[in-house]
Amino acid sequence: QVHLVESGGGLVQAGGSLRLSCASSGRAFSSYNMGWFRQAPGKEREFVAAISWSGGRTRYEDSVKGRFTISRDNAKNTVYLQMNSLKPEDTAVYYCAAGAAYDFSERYEYTYWGQGTQVTVSS
């Protein structure tokens, strides 16, 4: 069993930065691929970024490429999402997820989910 807890969300002005963290309990963290997804009001949950279990592979949704960076520290059982140059359209609840996820962007391939953290970007 893996328990995920996100933190680091908040209110920020457009152009600002936030760093989200996702801490995992359980000893299997380093064996899972990790993803970040987001869900805005009235919209489907969408893929943002993902990282392989070793950290050797990453993938980003096109709209966040060059602005967001995903990383992980397996010694700390934590995955991060550094978000720079934030835009109002980045406003959403951000979720981290863990799983085998052969297709990084497919949310149904992730087994474990956190409760989410709110990110609000004001214009």
Side-chain angles (χ1 to χ4, degrees):
Q1 188 74 13
V2 174
H3 183 58
L4 303 174
V5 179
E6 302 95 336
S7 62
L11 173 64
V12 64
Q13 288 189 332
S17 298
L18 284 173
R19 188 195 196 200
L20 305 184
S21 298
C22 174
S24 171
S25 64
R27 292 174 289 180
F29 176 80
S30 61
S31 66
Y32 288 112
N33 295 329
M34 298 296 296
W36 285 98
F37 290 74
R38 65 187 179 187
Q39 188 168 16
K43 294 189 176 181
E44 293 283 319
R45 191 170 298 189
E46 66 174 4
F47 170 74
V48 176
I51 189 167
S52 63
W53 62 272
S54 67
R57 286 190 299 131
T58 59
R59 182 174 176 181
Y60 297 92
E61 193 270 330
D62 285 347
S63 70
V64 308
K65 284 180 181 177
R67 300 189 298 122
F68 291 11
T69 303
I70 189 170
S71 62
R72 67 188 296 162
D73 185 338
N74 285 344
K76 295 182 178 180
N77 284 3
T78 302
V79 63
Y80 305 97
L81 186 67
Q82 177 67 44
M83 306 187 295
N84 299 329
S85 302
L86 282 161
K87 304 175 181 180
E89 51 264 44
D90 294 318
T91 295
V93 177
Y94 283 70
Y95 299 88
C96 70
Y102 299 103
D103 180 345
F104 277 5
S105 65
E106 179 53 66
R107 62 180 177 170
Y108 298 107
E109 295 199 11
Y110 290 86
T111 306
Y112 303 103
W113 291 82
Q115 291 300 306
T117 185
Q118 176 71 48
V119 171
T120 303
V121 184
S122 63
S123 57

